[in-house]
Amino acid sequence: MKPGRPSRPSKPGVGQTPRVPVEKIDGIGPSRAELLRQRGIKTVEAFRKTPAKNLRELLGDLAIGEMKKQSTKLINEARRRARIQERYGEVFPMRGVNLTVPRRSLTGGVES
């Protein structure tokens, strides 16, 4: 920060990882999600940071490596959507709906 300039208040959530529920990972349904939540693993980010050994103890012999890869993809997708939301002020769902962002015309209007 430069001297004499007031600091700008940061927007809530800017620069933070969006909170994606652990149920978004394929293979984790309601019962496994509840088991993970009881151990403090509530989000995909927390799942990704948990050592594979600990996850195997909780979930048994599942494809933990593939789940961790998917968790990284989900986090990256959530970050991308958060950037779009911040830029355009739109809320985009995580899955199932394909929304397009309106293009700006050369005259400054919005095209469909």
Side-chain angles (χ1 to χ4, degrees), residues 1-91:
M1 183 171 87
K2 293 182 181 180
R5 295 183 78 184
S7 64
R8 293 186 308 186
S10 64
K11 296 179 186 175
V14 173
Q16 299 176 357
T17 301
R19 296 178 55 86
V20 180
V22 75
E23 294 93 339
K24 292 286 187 183
I25 299 173
D26 291 336
I28 297 182
S31 60
R32 286 186 177 141
E34 183 59 33
L35 179 65
L36 289 168
R37 276 194 293 276
Q38 289 172 358
R39 303 296 171 107
I41 303 169
K42 299 175 184 176
T43 63
V44 172
E45 179 77 15
F47 182 89
R48 186 173 61 112
K49 290 181 178 180
T50 304
K53 177 183 173 185
N54 296 0
L55 292 173
R56 281 193 187 87
E57 290 173 4
L58 289 171
L59 302 174
D61 192 25
L62 294 175
I64 301 296
E66 289 300 316
M67 289 179 164
K68 281 190 164 271
K69 286 180 188 175
Q70 185 186 16
S71 69
T72 300
K73 289 179 183 178
L74 286 168
I75 290 166
N76 290 338
E77 177 69 9
R79 286 178 180 157
R80 185 183 72 81
R81 289 176 185 274
R83 284 191 305 270
I84 290 171
Q85 181 179 350
E86 181 183 329
R87 184 172 183 182
Y88 295 103
E90 300 287 336
V91 178

